[in-house]
Amino acid sequence: MRLKEQIAILALGAGFAACTPKPPTHIIEDNMEFAQQQLRFAFDEIDYAIVNESPESREKREKNGWGELTNPRNSEPDGTLNLVPSKDWTSGFFPGELWYLYEYTQNNFWKKKAQQHTDMLEREKLNGTTHDMGFKMYCSFGNGYRLTQDEHYKEVLLQSARTLATRFKPKAGIIRSWDHSTARWACPVIIDNMMNLELLFWATKESQDSTFYQIAVDHAKTTMKHHFRPDFSSYHVVDYDTITGHVLKKNTHQGYADESAWSRGQAWALYGYTMCYRETRLPEFLEQAENIEKYLFTHRNMPEDLIPYWDFNAPDIPNEPRDVSAATVIASALYELSLYDAEKGQRYKDNADQIMDNLTKHYRATLKKDNGFLLLHSTGTKPTNTEVDVPIVYADYYFIEALMRKNKLEKTGKLF
């Protein structure tokens, strides 16, 4: 064969090689690489937003004693980055994401950033006006303590648990959720509150004080009794008389209607009871989690891609906004739930994998755009047209948590 022919054949082969698509990158590696690039971009966006805070925002924040702006919450529909002070219920999610990136990469860059954005929240350990201690403190300081064993973080968490415990109402057997809207509710409890029980379970193990454990179990059992309909869908808000313990009314605040199934509420319930089973091994909590899962995945309005509409009973399905945040919470919960039922476990994991695959392919943000958020198309509160079809930080947090759980499951078969 002549030299020219050899060169031509080699060139032709190289051309075919260049056109042959590369095998798909593993979903975990691909998303974690994307997250690292996107969150590095987010730091610049945060700095810009702080410098350019409006005088009205600054005046309102200072007047109310809310402290400095700390972490991102969402993008507004016009693309503006919304930052929040430490008191906001979402303030712990961004540092939680950074801790997960440190855990995954072991790169001290992420550790230092996580420490910086966690430390901003310490003042919240004494904030007894909110039930959101788990969201704020356990996602931030909790992940930090798990990864560093920093004794100061432990003390902050224990104080946070003590503060949360002050909201327990023994006669009703619940932790009060909100102090606002007193004209509407006497003692409101929202299904979201199930997520904050993990801090109390942790505090029992670390302090050997079973009071925290009992409060968490009482709240979970009372919620199981009063928040759920026969089909295991959940009300959003249940109002209690704290003297008699009687239920006064059942409503929604963020869902379509009082009797509808607000999607993120169903996700909080699934995650919450799965976690409660892990911490207690009480079979009724596992049964509850599995019944909630069955409701979700047999519902006629669950989309084919398993990314829920913002409410399962929203009137204009399929022309309703999705809630990606509900999907990420569900996926993370399913990875854990898959450990607890040998017969159904593979189905749970397969559904979680399908959610994660669809989020990656169809709901991910654009690199170095979208204010550094990872996912698009979450819905905060549709009835008031607040945070509708936008990136929201807790969707990103549970997305990364789900990726970490998938990674651990596939490598070790364990999560904890």
Side-chain angles (χ1 to χ4, degrees), residues 255-308:
Y256 166 63
D258 290 344
E259 294 296 329
S260 72
W262 174 53
S263 296
R264 195 162 61 255
Q266 315 314 302
W268 295 141
L270 176 66
Y271 190 114
Y273 282 99
T274 301
M275 175 271 296
C276 283
Y277 176 69
R278 178 219 311 158
E279 297 295 340
T280 67
R281 295 295 162 169
L282 293 174
E284 58 261 47
F285 291 156
L286 176 59
E287 183 179 358
Q288 186 73 3
E290 295 199 300
N291 282 327
I292 296 165
E293 185 277 339
K294 182 178 179 181
Y295 170 83
L296 289 170
F297 287 92
T298 59
H299 198 288
R300 61 186 176 85
N301 286 335
M302 174 63 91
E304 186 176 348
D305 68 358
L306 305 184
I307 313 301

Side-chain angles (χ1 to χ4, degrees), residues 172-401:
I174 49 82
I175 299 167
R176 181 185 181 117
S177 294
W178 294 329
D179 291 343
H180 63 73
S181 304
T182 54
R184 187 176 183 188
W185 296 298
C187 182
V189 175
I190 58 176
I191 191 62
D192 319 36
N193 210 343
M194 288 297 302
M195 301 293 286
N196 295 299
L197 304 184
E198 192 168 9
L199 171 63
L200 299 179
F201 287 125
W202 173 89
T204 285
K205 289 181 286 189
E206 293 293 330
S207 68
Q208 302 304 307
D209 183 349
S210 62
T211 304
F212 299 117
Y213 178 94
Q214 198 57 54
I215 288 173
V217 170
D218 285 354
H219 181 94
K221 287 185 174 181
T222 304
T223 299
M224 192 163 64
K225 181 178 180 181
H226 295 303
H227 254 83
F228 291 89
R229 306 179 184 95
D231 64 1
F232 295 98
S233 65
S234 171
Y235 288 95
H236 183 200
V237 189
V238 175
D239 191 24
Y240 290 87
D241 184 319
T242 58
I243 297 175
T244 66
H246 293 161
V247 170
L248 300 175
K249 60 176 80 77
K250 300 181 180 184
N251 303 118
T252 194
H253 182 63
Q254 290 169 273
Y256 166 63
D258 290 344
E259 294 296 329
S260 72
W262 174 53
S263 296
R264 195 162 61 255
Q266 315 314 302
W268 295 141
L270 176 66
Y271 190 114
Y273 282 99
T274 301
M275 175 271 296
C276 283
Y277 176 69
R278 178 219 311 158
E279 297 295 340
T280 67
R281 295 295 162 169
L282 293 174
E284 58 261 47
F285 291 156
L286 176 59
E287 183 179 358
Q288 186 73 3
E290 295 199 300
N291 282 327
I292 296 165
E293 185 277 339
K294 182 178 179 181
Y295 170 83
L296 289 170
F297 287 92
T298 59
H299 198 288
R300 61 186 176 85
N301 286 335
M302 174 63 91
E304 186 176 348
D305 68 358
L306 305 184
I307 313 301
Y309 300 100
W310 71 277
D311 191 298
F312 279 92
N313 305 105
D316 294 325
I317 291 173
N319 300 311
E320 292 279 358
R322 301 297 184 96
D323 184 10
V324 158
S325 72
T328 62
V329 174
I330 290 168
S332 186
L334 287 176
Y335 282 126
E336 179 173 359
L337 190 60
S338 73
L339 295 173
Y340 305 141
D341 190 315
E343 181 180 343
K344 302 172 187 172
Q346 189 59 51
R347 175 168 64 83
Y348 296 155
K349 185 178 183 301
D350 288 347
N351 281 338
D353 285 343
Q354 184 179 341
I355 291 171
M356 298 300 285
D357 186 54
N358 287 328
L359 289 173
T360 301
K361 290 177 179 176
H362 305 298
Y363 294 84
R364 217 164 69 170
T366 301
L367 184 63
K368 296 188 178 180
K369 291 187 178 180
D370 300 309
N371 289 313
F373 288 98
L374 307 183
L375 297 172
L376 308 176
H377 306 305
S378 288
T379 298
T381 307
K382 177 67 161 54
T384 58
N385 200 34
T386 304
E387 299 176 322
V388 177
D389 194 24
V390 296
I392 300 180
V393 68
Y394 42 86
D396 291 0
Y397 173 85
Y398 289 104
F399 183 59
I400 293 185
E401 181 180 88

Side-chain angles (χ1 to χ4, degrees), residues 32 46 75 88 103 125 130 152 186 189 198 260 273 295 301 342 402:
M32 295 305 280
I46 292 168
S75 281
D88 191 85
E103 181 179 11
K125 68 185 179 184
T130 173
H152 179 64
V189 175
E198 192 168 9
S260 72
Y273 282 99
Y295 170 83
N301 286 335

